[in-house]
Amino acid sequence: MELQKERIVEELINILGSDRVITDETVLKESSLDRYRKFEQVHEIYTQPMPAAVVYVESTDEVKKVLMFANEHGVNVVPRTGQSAIEGGLETAKENSIVVDGSGMNKVLKIDKYNMQVTVQCGVPLQELDDMLREQGYTTGHSPQSKPLAQLGGLVATRSIGQFSTLYGGIEDMVVGLEAVFPNGEVCRVKNIPRRAAGPDIRHVVIGNEGALCYITEVTIKIFKYQPENNLFLGYTIDNMKNGFDALRAVMVEGFKPSIARLYDAADASLHFDWSGDKNVLIFMAEGPSGITNATAKGIDEIVKGFPGVDTVDSKIIEKWFAGLNWGPEEIAEEKLEILATNNIGITTEVSGCWDCIYEIYDNACKRIMEEVPDMTLMGGHSSHSYINGTNMYFVYYYNVVDCTPEEEINKYHNQINRIICEEVIKYGGSIVHHHGLGKARAHYVWEEYGSSFYILDTLKKAFDPNGIMNMGTLIPIKHNEKHPWEF
Amino acid sequence: MKSILGSFKVVPDLDLLSTEDWEPGDNHLVDTSFVKSMLNVFDESALEMMLKLSDMGEGLGTSIKLNGVTIGNKICDNYLKTLYALGFDRADRIESDGDVLFEPGKTTAIMKDYIDRNEMPDLIIMGSKSADNASGCVPLFLAEELKIPCVTSVINMELLENDRIRVTNLYDGGTQIRDIQGAFIAVIGDVPGTYLRVPTLKDRMKRGKKEIVPVSITSEDRTGAHTLVNSYPVIEKREGIIVSKEDLYPFYLKERMMKL
């Protein structure tokens, strides 16, 4: 029998004290969703089941107690830190869930400059950590666009990636060790070591679990020397997107590791630059010791200029533009006003694919969306994370919301666009999600994404969360409409 | 009402400038050449207000021509194409040979010349000032040149029957609402939360591909219209008298101090 809300709240107060158990209605409503339902959010419409409480934990022991309580009574738990999620990962898919907020666990525990790693609690904001490290001549190298908001627990849980990933890697390359609490109360610590071959890398059970398997309480990540004085920016316009992808590939295949390697199509470029016109834009940054940055910039310049239809852009423009790329609370607040005034909303969906199919994924998805989805006002995208064997594609799209209520918007537009993108990606063998996380938004395509390997994910979920309390609906849907999988 | 002319300016998005960038160069100007442009916020409100008036006109069975004009370079062309995509009948860029930043007189002269070459609109809508100059003078100067009234700090307009417009503007700590008939300039003030609506891709394909051919107007054409012939200092006397120090206490302070 399910616990009543009042009983849940009472038990949580017994564990944490009343000052850290929030039941204010406005807080509960705002905590029932994330930016996946942006249109509902700006209209302050809340369609998801209401949580019972938002609780603020301040220690691993408190996380353990809350999880054990929830596990015993079958209460859904949604782990949360920076609240920058955008794929429904923070939605409370079940009535009377407990949102467990770790932002109070915000201590930097150890900066180890000799071993080049820093250990932090899950609620440490990345911007603050990086600012502190930079003052001392170091950096995390991790710079997602959500940097002003995001905290380390969520960044690891979503398998996030930053703008300098081509040099520093994604979060999975940065995590050294961690601590996580499982629903049965087990507190597991993975020690800090450079590498080991003692069985599978169990860190990867935790990294990217999106709160569906455990609660991350502590993370150790690598740090790097911060040498901005050596940064070199390169910018180009290029006529043809296919050539743009090929230029990116050539840079990666030849062994160069710029910290930034980006290709913007003309539509997405028009959001950022006045000078791009109907051209696509290539941007690179070389970072590190001066010998390396000079050689990297020179090598990239030679490669890119070998492609047809390339013109050089003043690097100062690129440098200045890049400094203003991240989004903080002010930008989000302004976006809300603009959406309310214009009924025009911008969303992103990011995917990945190998070099031999990424252009087809991009081109087909864009064409289909413009043909099949009404009221589109912009359709484009950019590649921002490249590898030796492929790259990502970050679709950027805007549409006017016409003749529908805020609650109807997600099925009329957003989910249909996601469906088309995922269909094209699966057709070509790419991944339906590069770095935002499956969340609940694309969880309905998890079987197509995993194929036969779904068995591994499913078994992990059943093993670590047998009572089904960890962020239900994330990674694997609770309910799935076979006939209309994209209407939820 | 047959036509509305909206004048707008494309300005650099100054929020994108970092603290270090706010350094004047040799020309005493801050370099904003690398900064993304935007519609001046007051002009954006003005353009959206024009579209709302046009929507109201449709409701009243009146078709209103919307015309837009800006003075600037090729960067403005995307904004003009957006206006076409939104249904504007004409969207012109005036390519002036003179530098008109910080020159409201020249800007006014160019605008007057442009209006003289085309049909006088029934209503001119402009933002109150621009982000990069902020003189706030052009609408008032233009009204004087055109010899038509000017209503400032307009926050709302409503189209009524018989070609009247109900204008709400801020005035002396409150708001005024007046019904106006006849040509005038509406100067749009601070209307928070107004943004220009966004045309669909299909509208852009259908209407937004029109080539922008700049209109050339030389600013020197009007410099001879006014010639300085003489100047005199303005005498500004205070209302008061000069009291000598000998008279100060016995005749002015003594009595007052005894009352304290």
Side-chain angles (χ1 to χ4, degrees):
Chain A
M1 190 166 142
E2 283 182 8
L3 278 191
Q4 294 297 307
K5 177 182 170 178
E6 292 71 24
R7 173 81 197 285
I8 295 171
V9 172
E10 187 188 328
E11 290 295 328
L12 290 170
I13 290 173
N14 286 340
I15 296 170
L16 298 172
S18 58
D19 58 325
R20 286 190 282 130
V21 178
I22 311 301
T23 56
D24 174 79
E25 192 184 340
T26 304
V27 172
L28 294 184
K29 282 181 178 173
E30 289 170 357
S31 299
S32 66
L33 46 61
D34 61 29
R35 279 169 63 77
Y36 172 61
R37 289 180 195 266
K38 188 159 55 170
F39 200 70
E40 288 174 36
Q41 198 179 43
V42 301
H43 283 86
E44 294 173 10
I45 299 287
Y46 302 101
T47 56
Q48 298 307 294
M50 281 297 114
V54 176
V55 301
Y56 288 85
V57 290
E58 290 179 359
S59 70
T60 301
D61 191 54
E62 287 180 355
V63 173
K64 175 179 170 173
K65 286 175 179 161
V66 171
L67 289 192
M68 286 178 72
F69 159 70
N71 195 43
E72 187 186 339
H73 297 284
V75 180
N76 187 45
V77 167
V78 176
R80 179 177 94 176
T81 51
Q83 298 184 65
S84 56
I86 58 172
E87 299 295 342
L90 295 181
E91 287 181 9
T92 47
K94 297 183 92 171
E95 195 76 24
N96 292 331
S97 300
I98 306 169
V99 176
V100 183
D101 189 299
S103 57
M105 295 175 65
N106 55 12
K107 292 189 182 50
V108 175
L109 299 173
K110 184 177 179 184
I111 301 176
D112 181 352
K113 292 176 191 173
Y114 193 71
N115 291 315
M116 298 297 281
Q117 51 202 33
V118 60
T119 303
V120 300
Q121 291 184 314
C122 58
V124 167
L126 176 61
Q127 184 78 62
E128 282 182 27
L129 174 65
D130 218 37
D131 288 346
M132 178 190 1
L133 287 170
R134 285 184 179 190
E135 281 171 12
Q136 300 175 50
Y138 299 93
T139 178
T140 61
H142 197 48
S143 184
Q145 197 172 5
S146 58
K147 191 175 180 184
L149 298 169
Q151 296 170 11
L152 265 297
L155 288 164
V156 174
T158 51
R159 220 171 147 80
S160 60
I161 202 164
Q163 292 152 11
F164 309 131
S165 68
T166 316
L167 175 63
Y168 295 106
I171 195 72
E172 67 275 16
D173 303 301
M174 300 168 170
V175 170
V176 180
L178 51 82
E179 176 188 87
V181 183
F182 286 82
N184 60 1
E186 282 287 339
V187 179
C188 298
R189 291 187 68 84
V190 179
K191 59 186 176 183
N192 300 332
I193 36 169
R195 188 187 188 275
R196 69 178 169 187
D201 191 338
I202 54 173
R203 292 175 301 176
H204 290 286
V205 171
V206 178
I207 302 170
N209 88 96
E210 301 188 40
L213 301 179
C214 58
Y215 195 108
I216 300 168
T217 48
E218 185 184 302
V219 178
T220 299
I221 55 173
K222 296 173 190 170
I223 60 176
F224 304 87
K225 289 213 75 175
Y226 183 53
Q227 301 165 93
E229 66 278 6
N230 299 327
N231 288 353
L232 292 173
F233 287 86
L234 301 162
Y236 310 88
T237 57
I238 187 165
D239 288 344
N240 185 298
M241 246 334 240
K242 179 77 173 72
N243 285 344
F245 279 118
D246 287 342
L248 279 181
R249 176 185 174 276
V251 166
M252 299 307 298
V253 165
E254 290 305 314
F256 292 100
K257 286 204 174 273
S259 54
I260 297 168
R262 289 184 164 224
L263 169 66
Y264 283 82
D265 75 354
D268 196 3
S270 70
L271 295 177
H272 297 271
F273 314 113
D274 286 325
W275 41 263
S276 54
D278 55 1
K279 307 273 187 175
N280 312 294
V281 175
L282 270 166
I283 290 171
F284 299 91
M285 180 169 95
E287 195 178 328
S290 61
I292 290 180
T293 59
N294 287 329
T296 302
K298 181 168 180 284
I300 290 173
D301 193 57
E302 279 172 15
I303 290 171
V304 173
K305 283 178 175 165
F307 283 84
V310 167
D311 287 310
T312 309
V313 173
D314 182 353
S315 62
K316 183 187 165 194
I317 296 176
I318 307 300
E319 184 180 354
K320 297 289 184 189
W321 161 77
F322 198 78
L325 201 56
N326 289 343
W327 269 45
E330 303 84 6
E331 285 80 13
I332 292 176
E334 185 165 343
E335 184 196 36
K336 178 179 175 178
L337 292 177
E338 198 158 349
I339 293 170
L340 287 170
T342 61
N343 263 4
N344 181 260
I345 184 166
I347 315 266
T348 59
T349 300
E350 30 50 79
V351 303
S352 70
C354 291
W355 292 116
D356 64 356
C357 66
I358 194 69
Y359 174 73
E360 281 72 23
I361 290 172
Y362 155 76
D363 194 48
N364 289 356
C366 285
K367 283 183 174 138
R368 280 191 60 192
I369 289 165
M370 287 198 280
E371 278 162 25
E372 296 175 33
V373 181
D375 311 312
M376 297 297 298
T377 60
L378 186 136
M379 183 67 222
H382 61 267
S383 160
S384 40
H385 307 278
S386 287
Y387 310 87
I388 193 86
N389 59 337
T391 188
N392 81 314
M393 188 63 217
Y394 200 99
F395 290 98
V396 176
Y397 44 92
Y398 284 74
Y399 47 85
N400 289 335
V401 180
V402 178
D403 293 334
C404 79
T405 64
E407 304 94 303
E408 292 166 341
E409 171 267 342
I410 200 132
N411 284 325
K412 185 175 177 184
Y413 300 100
H414 193 172
N415 285 346
Q416 297 312 318
I417 294 170
N418 267 349
R419 171 182 61 81
I420 292 168
I421 291 171
C422 289
E423 283 174 2
E424 290 302 315
V425 167
I426 293 294
K427 190 164 86 183
Y428 286 97
S431 171
I432 65 172
V433 53
H434 176 259
H435 64 268
H436 282 175
L438 267 180
K440 294 170 183 74
R442 280 174 269 178
H444 290 267
Y445 243 61
V446 67
W447 297 279
E448 287 84 351
E449 170 67 16
Y450 274 81
S452 61
S453 64
F454 176 76
Y455 165 76
I456 302 176
L457 180 70
D458 193 38
T459 307
L460 281 171
K461 179 67 174 173
K462 286 170 176 155
F464 290 115
D465 186 24
N467 294 341
I469 67 142
M470 293 303 292
N471 206 356
M472 294 306 287
T474 292
L475 298 185
I476 302 172
I478 300 172
K479 286 183 289 193
H480 183 63
N481 185 332
E482 288 277 349
K483 205 172 163 191
H484 300 287
W486 288 97
E487 288 177 17
F488 52 92
Chain B
M1 164 152 312
K2 293 202 199 75
S3 71
I4 305 175
L5 174 66
S7 158
F8 68 94
K9 192 172 181 186
V10 173
V11 296
D13 186 346
L14 299 177
D15 284 342
L16 296 177
L17 279 178
S18 66
T19 313
E20 296 78 34
D21 292 325
W22 281 98
E23 286 292 334
D26 294 335
N27 58 359
H28 307 290
L29 295 175
V30 172
D31 182 11
T32 58
S33 60
F34 52 87
V35 174
K36 178 92 175 66
S37 66
M38 56 182 272
L39 276 174
N40 181 47
V41 295
F42 298 109
D43 297 333
E44 184 172 5
S45 299
L47 293 170
E48 178 58 24
M49 223 174 263
M50 285 173 71
L51 287 160
K52 285 194 165 78
L53 285 171
S54 173
D55 294 340
M56 290 178 209
E58 276 181 30
L60 292 172
T62 305
S63 173
I64 303 175
K65 274 192 200 170
L66 299 181
N67 302 322
V69 65
T70 188
I71 302 172
N73 58 28
K74 274 186 78 64
I75 284 175
C76 304
D77 287 357
N78 271 342
Y79 297 93
L80 294 162
K81 288 179 182 179
T82 298
L83 294 187
Y84 276 123
L86 287 170
F88 272 55
D89 291 90
R90 202 174 72 237
D92 284 328
R93 170 164 66 86
I94 299 172
E95 203 154 67
S96 166
D97 62 344
D99 186 357
V100 297
L101 186 62
F102 304 124
E103 299 268 12
K106 276 191 187 169
T107 305
T108 305
I110 292 168
M111 285 295 300
K112 171 73 166 53
D113 207 334
Y114 173 79
I115 291 169
D116 285 341
R117 294 183 191 192
N118 296 284
E119 194 184 320
M120 174 70 182
D122 301 297
L123 170 64
I124 300 172
I125 301 184
M126 311 172 80
S128 59
K129 57 187 172 185
S130 67
D132 53 359
N133 182 6
S135 73
C137 297
V138 171
L140 300 165
F141 285 1
L142 185 61
E144 193 177 318
E145 288 283 330
L146 294 173
K147 296 181 178 27
I148 59 175
C150 181
V151 182
T152 58
S153 299
V154 172
I155 56 172
N156 192 39
M157 285 191 284
E158 196 186 324
L159 188 67
L160 305 175
E161 290 184 356
N162 300 324
D163 288 345
R164 287 173 305 130
I165 299 182
R166 178 159 293 164
V167 179
T168 304
N169 69 314
L170 300 177
Y171 179 76
D172 202 22
T175 53
Q176 267 184 336
I177 301 177
R178 288 173 288 187
D179 294 352
I180 302 177
Q181 195 165 28
F184 70 100
I185 294 182
V187 186
I188 308 306
D190 190 13
V191 193
T194 50
Y195 296 86
L196 185 63
R197 62 192 67 173
V198 184
T200 64
L201 287 172
K202 291 194 168 112
D203 286 337
R204 284 193 186 276
M205 295 299 293
K206 202 163 108 184
R207 295 192 293 249
K209 294 281 184 186
K210 193 166 177 168
E211 195 193 346
I212 307 297
V213 179
V215 174
S216 184
I217 294 178
T218 50
S219 50
E220 288 98 59
D221 289 349
R222 308 290 300 178
T223 50
H226 302 283
T227 309
L228 180 65
V229 294
N230 206 346
S231 67
Y232 301 96
V234 176
I235 309 292
E236 287 182 338
K237 284 187 177 175
R238 289 185 176 183
E239 280 196 33
I241 58 172
I242 297 172
V243 178
S244 69
K245 60 182 179 183
E246 294 78 21
D247 291 344
L248 178 61
Y249 179 73
F251 295 107
Y252 293 93
L253 293 181
K254 184 178 175 183
E255 194 179 326
R256 287 185 175 92
M257 288 173 77
M258 281 168 67
K259 287 179 188 172
L260 289 174

